[in-house]
Amino acid sequence: MTTVSAYAATSVSEPLTRTTITRREMGPHDVTIAIHFAGICHSDIHTVKGEWGEPAFPLVPGHEIAGVVTAVGSEVTRYRVGDRVGVGCFVDSCRECRHCLAGDEQYCVRGMTGTYNGVDRDGRPTQGGYSGAIVVDENYVLRIPDSLPLDAAAPLLCAGITTYSPLRHWNVGPGTRVAVVGLGGLGHMAVKLGKALGADVTVLSQSLKKREDGLRLGAGAYYATSDPDTFRALRSSFDVVINTVSANLDLGRYLMLLDVDGTLVELGMPEKPMTVPAAPLVGGRRRLAGSLIGGIAETQEMLDFCAEHGVLPEIEVIEPEYINTAYERVLASDVRYRFVIDTASLRG
Ligand code: NAP
Ligand code: ZN
Ligand code: ZN
């Protein structure tokens, strides 16, 4: 086992602090990755704060990992030392169930192994990307195309695939009318990817503060949800509404923005249940759906798509010491549009 530096949460209320963790012995199919950058996803914050149940502490978050391969196991065929690679939200799955076989490992019947707060094959808790290195089975590692800088590539491993997968699944393409609710990490990627797929994208943000950004990112229109006129003006206007908001919303109001047969895709995972009125679903044959990240093959497809179309997240690179402040800023919707930790000082 090797010891690496990391930033860990020790309880739901204490700030994250610097510590050391051990990584498992490399098996024949494993690669060791020196982590260069790790994005901060709002899911890290939900998890650390215990909003999805009490996690196992100490907990090293981070599932938007970009780095370089430093060692490979004897049976590894896909990667070599020096390759630029990424790791997303899971590091293993059963590989046998119908969903794993279909490339939807995130819906593994036996449950995927989360990159953190999961149970590793050696029985210990998995620990994530706010650290200097990680050991991962090569089948759960992604190749980062040369044209994508490692820092900006990191958020693609969660925010990128989480928005790309539903856009593709619901056939978003030229002329599709898409509304993106919430302009944060996921939201700004949904705007960029929707635009790259040819859709007509509208941003629905709490205020008009980020209007210029939204239009620059590729939206054709931008509305404030704090203005009740928005919901009157946009009634029945969209084929797809992508909800990336981390807090509870009045879903009925957003369902009413869909045209007949439209789909509201829920990506946000707030702590508390949300209420869904029947009338907007029934009175428009509308659908309410959800989507969880994406499979390994689709994640590689997304990375290649981003390289081909020049799609990259807008990031603010921070030192590990800034993680707790970054969390506060994410919670205050003050993120433009993803914090990415430079883990150089953890590589040591
Ligand atoms: P984020 O960067 O914090 O973005 C969320 C955005 O939601 C904020 O920027 C803000 O946008 C809006 N918002 C926040 N609080 C709000 C409120 N009270 N009312 C209305 N709007 C509010 O978070 P993220 O990293 O994009 O993640 C978003 C959510 O998706 C989280 O719940 C996360 O756990 C979840 N997630 C799900 C998956 C999946 O596979 N489904 C994957 C990753 C993350 P405006 O300022 O523009 O209003
Ligand atoms: Zn995430
Ligand atoms: Zn499976």
Side-chain angles (χ1 to χ4, degrees), residues 52-323:
W52 295 342
E54 179 88 6
F57 291 113
L59 177 107
V60 178
H63 57 207
E64 294 185 334
I65 299 171
V68 175
V69 173
T70 54
V72 297
S74 56
E75 305 283 320
V76 167
T77 57
R78 297 182 184 196
Y79 297 102
R80 289 192 212 161
V81 170
D83 283 355
R84 303 161 82 250
V85 295
V87 178
C89 298
F90 57 95
V91 288
D92 213 340
S93 64
C94 85
R95 308 171 193 213
E96 289 170 353
C97 74
R98 60 191 182 280
H99 301 305
C100 282
L101 293 176
D104 286 327
E105 300 92 344
Q106 73 276 28
Y107 304 122
C108 176
V109 170
R110 279 172 235 165
M112 63 179 180
T113 304
T115 302
Y116 60 81
N117 200 35
V119 179
D120 209 349
R121 60 171 70 145
D122 64 3
R124 300 185 311 147
T126 54
Q127 301 288 9
Y130 301 2
S131 65
I134 191 167
V135 176
V136 183
D137 185 300
E138 66 165 336
N139 293 300
Y140 295 82
V141 173
L142 287 308
R143 186 173 296 283
I144 296 180
D146 286 341
S147 63
L148 300 181
L150 283 184
D151 53 0
L156 296 176
L157 277 304
C158 177
I161 184 59
T162 300
T163 48
Y164 180 83
S165 184
L167 290 169
R168 294 301 309 267
H169 186 82
W170 278 280
N171 298 316
V172 168
T176 312
R177 299 163 299 169
V178 176
V180 174
V181 190
L183 195 63
L186 265 57
H188 96 291
M189 286 312 301
V191 173
K192 286 196 156 202
L193 289 164
K195 168 79 175 174
L197 289 165
D200 297 331
V201 182
T202 297
V203 171
L204 303 178
S205 180
Q206 293 168 92
S207 73
L208 293 177
K209 274 191 288 193
K210 296 180 270 189
R211 184 169 180 278
E212 270 181 34
D213 285 355
L215 300 180
R216 176 172 51 78
L217 293 167
Y222 191 110
Y223 291 83
T225 54
S226 54
D227 181 353
D229 283 344
T230 292
F231 292 90
R232 277 192 285 275
L234 296 178
R235 196 174 167 149
S236 303
S237 296
F238 300 105
D239 305 304
V240 176
V241 172
I242 304 271
N243 180 20
T244 74
V245 172
S246 48
N248 284 24
L249 287 187
D250 179 351
L251 288 181
R253 295 177 92 197
Y254 291 85
L255 284 166
M256 290 301 288
L257 303 182
L258 290 167
D259 209 341
V260 171
D261 287 328
T263 305
L264 189 161
V265 184
E266 180 63 32
L267 297 182
M269 295 184 64
E271 178 180 11
K272 301 252 162 51
M274 288 186 278
T275 307
V276 182
L281 285 174
V282 172
R285 203 161 56 197
R286 300 179 176 101
R287 285 172 292 225
L288 174 60
S291 185
L292 178 67
I293 42 175
I296 292 294
E298 193 176 35
T299 304
Q300 190 63 60
E301 177 188 307
M302 175 277 308
L303 287 166
D304 297 342
F305 178 91
C306 289
E308 190 183 330
H309 292 83
V311 174
L312 278 174
E314 305 219 339
I315 57 169
E316 183 172 336
V317 177
I318 62 166
E319 294 297 320
E321 291 70 27
Y322 193 76
I323 290 169

